[in-house]
Every structure is written in structure tokens, then in C-alpha cells.
Amino acid sequence: MIRSRRLRSLVALLAVFLPGPLRRFVHTRLLGYRLHPTASIGHALIDVDVLEMGQGARIGHLVILRGCEEVRLGDWSIIQMLVWINSVRADKGYFRDVERRPALIMGHKALITMLHFIDACDLVELEDFASLAGFGSLVQTHAVDLKSLKQDCAPVRISESSLVASRSTLLPGAIVPSCSIVAAGSVVNGKLVGHQLFGGVPARPLRETDLTWGYFNRPRDGAPGAW
């Protein structure tokens, strides 16, 4: 396995243009990524320290996934095409005196659809069945602390069986609770509470979700189908 970070980045870039079997060889043998035999990576730039992909997990074409120290995709989790996930490793010297985990963790059947931007300078977590859906959303884990004039970080979590709709913004420290929906165009700037439909700027509870809906009761076994 290649150890030099600069050489790893070059090899990761070259792998984008290789056919599937050669691309998999580069990812597993040269970069040391751990991919289930049924997991797949499209023509995507994957330049991270650790990558683990479970059964049926998939990364689509034209994804940029770089700078993370750790990326884990659970069984049947999916990152669709044209998603940009960017991070800054802890050894770069940014965010001094801030404890952070530059990582993306996706649970069982978690989903990121296309055309999203994710800043993973701190942990971004999608729990089991969680979805960053639609298109054009921003997940942001770092921002300037205007009081101290320093960059600060906080993790973001989309909890189990929740959905964040198009063009939403999740700011540092955002937590979407389980079995909840964030309406399109909303801004989440902290911890939300309850099984609710949230919407607005900033997002606030609009009404309770119905826990009998099919979205909140999907089967754990087998491929995800539409989701």
C-alpha cells in the first residue's frame, strides 16, 4: 500500500480514468481501501486516508471525496453522482486547539443524492436510513467564531430514518432528530428536537410526522430499491 500522501493523491486522480477492474485494484491494493466484493466506486476522485464500504454500498460517478481521515459506508449506503465532500486533515494545522474528527460516516441504507456539497472538517454522520435528499444542499461543519476570530468546528448529524430536502443548509452543530423531515430551503443551526416536519430560516417545528409512514418503516434486509 502506498504511504506517501502526495503519491496517494496522484494515484487517486489517475484511478478516476481507469476501467472498473483496474480502478478497484488501485483502490484496494495501492490505496488500501476496504471494499466489500459487492461495493462499487464509479469514475470518482477518492483521496482519503481510510475508506470502508459494506455490502452493496456505492459511490457514483464524478464524486469528489478528499481530505477525510476516515470514510465508512454501511451496507447498501449510496453516494450518488456529482457530490463534493471536502475536508482538511488534522495534521494540516488548521483549527488549532479544536478537537475534531474529519470523517464521513454513513449507516445502513443511508443516502446522499446528487449535487450536494459537504464540508467534513468535522464529523458528518448519516445514521441508518438517513437521507440527504433532493439536490443542492450544504452541510457545513466549520465557521469563523467572530468573538475569538478563529475557525471553529462542530459535527453534524442526520439521525436514523430522517430526510433533509433540497437546498437546505446544515450549519456546524446541526442535529436532525430521528424520523424527522427538514423541508426544502431550510436552515438548521443547532439541535432540533422531536419527530417533526421542520422548516424555515432558522428551521422550527411545523407539525409532527406520522411514524406509520413507509419511509420510517423500511425493511433492513435486502437492497434498498428506490431508497
Side-chain angles (χ1 to χ4, degrees):
M1 185 179 73
I2 298 171
R3 300 292 182 183
S4 165
R5 185 160 289 162
R6 183 171 296 179
L7 184 55
R8 286 176 65 88
S9 296
L10 177 59
V11 170
L13 178 60
L14 293 175
V16 176
F17 306 99
L18 296 176
L22 284 178
R23 193 163 62 247
R24 189 178 186 91
F25 175 85
V26 169
H27 286 150
T28 56
R29 299 299 181 87
L30 301 185
L31 299 178
Y33 299 154
R34 297 177 62 184
L35 311 181
H36 188 277
T38 61
S40 64
I41 300 175
H43 293 283
L45 174 59
I46 312 296
D47 181 15
V48 298
D49 294 350
V50 172
L51 172 65
E52 293 187 2
M53 297 177 65
Q55 180 182 6
R58 187 169 82 243
I59 297 175
H61 297 309
L62 303 180
V63 169
I64 298 177
L65 176 50
R66 59 177 299 275
C68 293
E69 295 180 352
E70 178 186 5
V71 176
R72 302 186 190 278
L73 276 69
D75 292 347
W76 305 108
S77 60
I78 298 171
I79 302 174
Q80 293 184 352
M81 64 185 300
L82 291 168
V83 176
W84 187 354
I85 303 163
N86 190 67
S87 184
V88 177
R89 294 179 175 89
D91 62 5
K92 289 292 186 180
Y94 295 96
F95 313 105
R96 295 183 185 278
D97 305 319
V98 176
E99 288 190 17
R100 63 189 183 94
R101 181 184 175 189
L104 172 69
I105 307 296
M106 297 178 65
H108 182 76
K109 294 187 179 180
L111 172 67
I112 298 173
T113 59
M114 62 175 57
L115 290 169
H116 298 295
F117 181 88
I118 298 173
D119 156 38
C121 288
D122 207 339
L123 173 63
V124 174
E125 184 176 10
L126 284 80
E127 294 185 344
D128 295 352
F129 298 98
S131 300
L132 183 62
F135 62 93
S137 288
L138 168 66
V139 177
Q140 183 175 335
T141 61
H142 85 276
V144 176
D145 183 334
L146 297 179
K147 183 177 180 179
S148 64
L149 291 180
K150 293 181 179 179
Q151 294 277 1
D152 200 4
C153 287
V156 170
R157 183 173 78 239
I158 304 175
S159 299
E160 184 173 351
S161 297
S162 287
L163 181 146
V164 177
S166 295
R167 297 192 179 278
S168 293
T169 300
L170 276 59
L171 295 175
I175 297 177
V176 178
S178 62
C179 298
S180 296
I181 297 172
V182 175
S186 300
V187 175
V188 181
N189 63 354
K191 181 180 180 180
L192 302 178
V193 178
H195 307 311
Q196 300 274 348
L197 168 64
F198 298 94
V201 182
R204 62 191 185 279
L206 300 178
R207 62 176 180 270
E208 290 189 359
T209 53
D210 185 340
L211 299 185
T212 67
W213 289 354
Y215 180 82
F216 302 134
N217 296 279
R218 286 169 287 167
R220 292 194 64 86
D221 297 333
W227 288 95

